Amino acid sequence: MRAPRALRLQDVAERAGVSLATASRALSGRDGVSSGVAERVRAVARDMGYVANPHARSLAGGSVPSVGLVVHEISDPYFAEIATGVMRLGDREGLTVQVCHTGRDPDREVVQIRTLAAHRVGRIIIAGSGFVDAAIQRETRRALDDYRAAGGRVAVIGRHHLSADAVLPDNRNGARSVVDHLLSLGHRRLAIVAGSRLLTTVADRLAGAAESLTEHGIDPAAVPVIEAEFTRRGGKEAARRVLDEHPDVTAILALNDDMAIGVLSTLRTTGVEVPRDVSVAGFDDIGVAQDLAPSLTTVRLPTTIMGELALQLTLQEPAARPRRRTTGHELVIRDSTGAPRP
């Protein structure tokens, strides 16, 4: 008995009533096909059970219908939620998503980009903070320039020096809002725990916090900023330093929720009650923030939507100048903040 013949792209094209080239462009997400035709081709492919062979497409010299998502820390829920947005839109567009982890190492970032380019991935999204010093990402910019020159599409999430389409989180204003909240409760002895100041995300959030402090008559230089890993472990270590070096602090602002969770852990194990003894606030509003005990006051960023916006930028025709998509923010007040003890 003869085995059934594998479905071919030609079969999809004939069923959809389009040329082979049009079917290929529609399924790979390339330009030159109207959205209506592209959706019809994808619907036909789904109905027929056709699965593209990216290896064969690569051998034929074209880009594969996939997206490379480069993140700093895949274990950080912030990046996981961005990845969810990229994958959700990617699924609707018939694109697979490859996630790469850099650990905030610029050299590793370059390797990941060049590897994705070598595998003819059609789009690359860099998610997460850039670096304040443009020289740190010079090689990253060169790798992306080479990739774009070969026809690749690029978007970034966060402030970078990469001359690419960008989705910009509302970091500065978000930090102003959460510090305003802490000060409105009556706190005057604050500490901030943060990742490296070399990261633009940290620099922007610190700048927003400083603006709020200044407006309330507090010298930002008088507020201790404890730098540690921009992770849960870093939050634990930073909280221990706050307790040891600044025991009079009544509120701690962590510049991301992962650090805030670490802060809460250290305070709990050392017998410090939140918010009776010390209030704690975070930034990002990752999914678990509302389920902590106490639930976390934080700044909500639309992380999943940010992932979708970044992928949408790569699906559009390249523009003469980099495009910018800004996000809003929302202050979410929960149980981890309250007025200081008299």
Side-chain angles (χ1 to χ4, degrees), residues 157-181:
I157 298 174
R159 185 162 63 85
H160 293 253
H161 299 283
L162 300 178
S163 188
D165 291 345
V167 177
L168 301 175
D170 198 8
N171 288 320
R172 195 164 185 142
N173 290 327
R176 286 174 58 103
S177 293
V178 70
V179 173
D180 284 347
H181 165 65

Side-chain angles (χ1 to χ4, degrees), residues 105-115 139-141 143:
D105 181 343
D107 294 333
R108 189 173 177 185
E109 186 174 71
V110 173
V111 171
Q112 299 284 15
I113 291 168
R114 294 204 181 279
T115 299
E139 290 304 313
T140 295
R141 181 167 183 167

Side-chain angles (χ1 to χ4, degrees), residues 147-283:
Y147 172 73
R148 281 180 293 209
R153 303 288 181 81
V154 177
V156 301
I157 298 174
R159 185 162 63 85
H160 293 253
H161 299 283
L162 300 178
S163 188
D165 291 345
V167 177
L168 301 175
D170 198 8
N171 288 320
R172 195 164 185 142
N173 290 327
R176 286 174 58 103
S177 293
V178 70
V179 173
D180 284 347
H181 165 65
L182 292 172
L183 296 176
S184 73
L185 292 172
H187 294 282
R188 291 299 180 269
R189 299 189 300 277
L190 283 68
I192 298 174
V193 301
S196 169
R197 295 175 191 252
L198 294 175
L199 299 172
T200 55
T201 294
V202 171
D204 291 345
R205 293 178 183 181
L206 286 175
E211 289 171 0
S212 174
L213 291 166
T214 300
E215 289 174 1
H216 287 83
I218 299 174
D219 180 4
V223 175
V225 177
I226 310 300
E227 291 184 48
E229 290 182 7
F230 215 19
T231 62
R232 192 168 305 181
R233 183 175 66 179
K236 291 180 180 181
E237 295 173 355
R240 283 192 289 269
R241 286 187 56 191
V242 171
L243 294 176
D244 291 342
E245 301 170 15
H246 308 281
D248 61 338
V249 158
T250 63
I252 299 175
L253 168 61
L255 292 190
N256 74 6
D257 284 350
D258 217 23
M259 290 195 87
I261 293 172
V263 170
L264 290 171
S265 176
T266 291
L267 296 182
R268 182 173 60 251
T269 58
T270 53
V272 177
E273 188 172 332
V274 178
R276 188 195 67 176
D277 301 324
V278 175
S279 287
V280 177
F283 206 114

Side-chain angles (χ1 to χ4, degrees), residues 7-18 23 40-41 43-49:
L7 285 171
R8 303 169 304 164
L9 182 60
Q10 181 67 44
D11 300 322
V12 175
E14 291 175 357
R15 175 77 65 85
V18 299
R40 185 171 81 248
V41 172
V44 169
R46 286 194 298 269
D47 291 344
M48 296 178 69

